[in-house]
Amino acid sequence: MELKRTAARFAKAKLSEDIITRDKICEFSRKGWLECAKFGLQSMVVPEEGGGGGLGPVDTVSVLEGIGLGCMDNGLLCALSAHIWGCVLPILRFGTEQQKKRYLSPLMDGALIGANAMTELEAGSDVYSLKTAAKKKKGHFLISGRKVFITNAPVADIFVVYVRTGNRKGMAGISCFLIEKGAKGFFVGKNIDKMGLRTSTMSEIVLDGCRVSDENLIGRYNSGAVVFNESISWERMGVAALQLGAIERLCNICAGYAKTREVFGRPIAGFKIVSDRIRDMELCLKKGRALVHRAAKARQCGRPAFIESAKAKLYVSESYLRCSRQALQIHGAYGYMTEYGLEREMRDAMASTIHSGTSEVLQEMIRKTRKVVR
Amino acid sequence: MKEKIRKFIIDNFMYGKGKLKDDISLFDSGIMDSLGFIKLLAFIEKTFRVSIDMSEVAIDNFDTVDEIVKTVSKKKRPGK
Ligand SMILES: Cc1cc2nc3c(=O)[nH]c(=O)nc-3n(C[C@H](O)[C@H](O)[C@H](O)COP(=O)(O)OP(=O)(O)OC[C@H]3O[C@@H](n4cnc5c(N)ncnc54)[C@H](O)[C@@H]3O)c2cc1C
């Protein structure tokens, strides 16, 4: 509880500056990024002996819940998620000693920004149909292909990129590489304008015979899918924890507003439909919290928590969208106005049902696990 | 061990039907997808009481029934 409170206090004080203006002009907050690094967010999952915070999964989700509660800059949190789960974690869990030594410290202290590139034009939900390919040469690889919707790409320094190595189809023939911005044959596109999370940046990347040393391989050759599974599973849990905080923030805002906004001579909290909406939001929060903490506890016990994380992410992201709509409705026309921040919240929430596995894909995955495992 | 693994794969990923040769590639044949792979690792850990560190996993070591048996046997006899 203390961790969550401290994180919420920090986030409220430092991370929401000028959010309405920055959302309008799609501005990523480098200042907020550095504040997060000072607070220890980028390093929290790295063990203490490696210079990090050494938090376990249960404490990590508590911190993230607090950050989501205090921070209104959801774009910044999206950027942080891509950095921590898509870049820091793969290096930490699968990287060589040399890679850890070279990259972890600047990724933790805010000097470098990380991104991860999996999605392609024709490989979104069906990620393992990706076509970006690496040709093996002596001591290096030549990688060609195109990745789309890459969070942080316009501002990132280090990219974790998944490519096909060899002729096998599906998940068996994929490897994971670290590529630095500025590598020969590596191009980053322009920032893409999008509906929500506008304070995070996104673009495509193009690899045109990009030369990458053997030393940049993360994890085993042809086993990049293992890296991706681990990374996405943590990401789902982390993203859900942040959104729990956002739901709690919406609950608080709505409960306060409903008590003070008077219509027909009484506070709107007195209308059953309004109070039902708020109760519904609180229920989402309670159920979502149970799911996120179940996933975190499973991880803490050393299990990959793949399905638990998928369940948490599915429920919380859908609830976040639902609650942001309820919050807007409770505020009437004021909610519809940019100044109140609720229309932005709803736009941001929409994205969460698409990235890190769409709701449909997660539903399908969960349905499949209901089959008997003997 | 081999029969337990084979039965698990047939029951879970082949609708309980058909035969599974020891050397057929589970990934190339489409029998195993990413979720199936995670289920398989969980099954192996539970059934054979071994612990699998994800950072050491090489997909090729789980590609056929023969490879899986070899990998699990090695895990059960550390140092060999
Ligand atoms: C804000 C944001 C940030 C992102 N950041 C990154 C990033 O940093 N790196 C990266 O690599 N990618 C990133 N992505 C891409 C994201 O991972 C993909 O958008 C996502 O995987 C879905 O792929 P797609 O958009 O191609 O949709 P498609 O796969 O084309 O899906 C289209 C529709 O079909 C549905 N569908 C697909 N398969 C099934 C099924 N089996 N059953 C039922 N319905 C199905 C989907 O749910 C969806 O509604 C980001 C996306 C967003 C929105």
Side-chain angles (χ1 to χ4, degrees):
Chain A
M1 228 13 214
E2 192 45 44
L3 277 177
K4 180 181 159 190
R5 249 196 307 256
T6 309
R9 257 200 310 269
F10 153 74
K12 194 168 176 197
K14 305 276 187 187
L15 304 183
S16 303
E17 222 174 70
D18 295 332
I19 180 61
I20 291 171
T21 314
R22 286 193 295 102
D23 178 72
K24 225 175 251 172
I25 59 172
C26 300
E27 189 180 273
F28 167 70
S29 172
R30 189 62 79 156
K31 188 173 161 209
W33 184 265
L34 293 173
E35 289 289 357
C36 289
K38 240 195 277 170
F39 183 74
L41 278 186
Q42 284 92 322
S43 59
M44 68 185 162
V45 294
V46 177
E48 281 172 272
E49 57 272 24
L55 296 191
V58 172
D59 285 344
T60 297
V61 297
S62 294
V63 168
L64 291 176
E65 216 184 311
I67 295 291
L69 172 62
C71 175
M72 290 191 288
D73 187 349
N74 297 310
L76 176 66
L77 302 186
C78 172
L80 273 166
S81 298
H83 172 89
I84 298 170
W85 310 122
C87 186
V88 174
L89 190 94
I91 297 174
L92 178 68
R93 294 279 283 123
F94 299 90
T96 61
E97 282 314 310
Q98 201 186 354
Q99 288 167 350
K100 288 181 198 173
K101 220 162 138 191
R102 177 159 181 186
Y103 296 112
L104 277 184
S105 177
L107 285 169
M108 289 193 291
D109 69 17
L112 296 185
I113 296 179
N116 74 94
M118 182 66 161
T119 308
E120 297 180 1
L121 282 175
E122 285 164 34
S125 301
D126 184 10
V127 281
Y128 295 124
S129 65
L130 66 86
K131 292 197 175 73
T132 295
K135 275 193 198 138
K136 177 101 187 75
K137 302 281 172 186
K138 211 170 165 210
H140 67 276
F141 291 86
L142 291 178
I143 304 179
S144 292
R146 184 175 170 195
K147 299 283 182 182
V148 294
F149 307 131
I150 308 308
T151 298
N152 289 346
V155 292
D157 307 281
I158 309 286
F159 294 76
V160 169
V161 185
Y162 296 87
V163 310
R164 191 158 294 290
T165 35
N167 297 323
R168 300 178 71 179
K169 284 187 183 155
M171 68 181 281
I174 289 166
S175 299
C176 177
F177 291 93
L178 263 178
I179 304 180
E180 287 187 31
K181 172 181 84 175
K184 204 168 167 227
F186 185 82
F187 306 96
V188 177
K190 272 200 251 155
N191 190 27
I192 302 170
D193 201 1
K194 54 191 183 318
M195 174 182 177
L197 301 175
R198 291 165 64 84
T199 54
S200 70
T201 58
M202 174 187 272
S203 69
E204 65 173 28
I205 59 171
V206 175
L207 300 109
D208 183 9
C210 178
R211 189 188 162 107
V212 179
S213 159
D214 283 358
E215 289 168 6
N216 288 29
L217 182 70
I218 306 183
R220 306 272 187 109
Y221 184 62
N222 276 346
S223 296
V226 177
V227 181
F228 181 72
N229 275 350
E230 181 77 351
S231 157
I232 197 82
S233 179
W234 272 97
E235 178 168 313
R236 285 173 185 151
M237 186 175 79
V239 161
L242 286 170
Q243 289 163 4
L244 269 186
I247 295 175
E248 186 175 342
R249 173 161 41 80
L250 292 175
C251 285
N252 295 343
I253 292 171
C254 290
Y257 186 75
K259 272 187 213 146
T260 52
R261 172 69 177 166
E262 292 200 7
V263 178
F264 295 111
R266 59 179 168 138
I268 59 170
F271 298 112
K272 185 171 180 311
I273 295 180
V274 174
S275 61
D276 279 353
R277 279 191 198 280
I278 295 175
R279 242 195 313 277
D280 176 59
M281 291 165 72
E282 286 165 352
L283 195 65
C284 284
L285 178 62
K286 211 168 150 189
K287 277 169 85 174
R289 188 172 282 142
L291 288 169
V292 171
H293 284 261
R294 188 190 296 167
K297 280 181 190 149
R299 273 225 169 262
Q300 193 102 359
C301 296
R303 291 198 282 122
F306 196 75
I307 289 302
E308 289 92 335
S309 302
K311 282 183 181 167
K313 196 269 179 179
L314 171 63
Y315 184 81
V316 175
S317 61
E318 286 292 335
S319 296
Y320 179 31
L321 182 58
R322 178 185 168 100
C323 292
S324 65
R325 187 191 177 308
Q326 304 271 41
L328 194 152
Q329 193 72 21
I330 287 169
H331 283 71
Y334 298 96
Y336 196 71
M337 301 301 137
T338 306
E339 185 192 340
Y340 274 67
L342 294 168
E343 59 84 32
R344 186 189 66 251
E345 199 87 40
M346 198 168 151
R347 286 187 281 109
D348 291 347
M350 187 64 218
S352 67
T353 64
I354 300 171
H355 66 68
S356 320
T358 66
S359 290
E360 293 78 9
V361 164
L362 296 178
Q363 268 175 43
E364 190 59 14
M365 191 187 285
I366 293 161
R367 189 186 62 75
K368 277 190 190 164
T369 59
R370 296 215 177 98
K371 285 190 205 145
V372 190
V373 180
R374 276 165 248 247
Chain B
M1 178 191 293
K2 190 180 260 184
E3 283 321 305
K4 274 190 186 163
I5 291 169
R6 196 198 316 277
K7 183 168 174 0
F8 174 81
I9 294 169
I10 292 174
D11 285 348
N12 284 273
F13 312 128
M14 298 168 66
Y15 304 99
K17 289 181 204 139
K19 288 195 173 137
L20 180 62
K21 284 191 186 159
D22 293 347
D23 60 350
I24 193 165
S25 163
L26 299 170
F27 293 103
D28 291 348
S29 62
I31 293 172
M32 187 89 73
D33 62 7
S34 65
L35 183 61
F37 186 50
I38 281 157
K39 276 185 179 179
L40 174 73
L41 295 182
F43 166 79
I44 290 171
E45 284 193 318
K46 203 168 150 199
T47 311
F48 304 111
R49 294 176 191 280
V50 291
S51 140
I52 298 171
D53 180 352
M54 280 299 200
S55 65
E56 290 172 1
V57 170
I59 285 186
D60 287 345
N61 295 345
F62 295 85
D63 196 22
T64 64
V65 172
D66 273 344
E67 285 296 338
I68 298 171
V69 170
K70 228 191 283 173
T71 306
V72 179
S73 305
K74 249 192 238 164
K75 281 248 160 234
K76 284 185 84 79
R77 290 177 279 124
K80 290 201 178 174

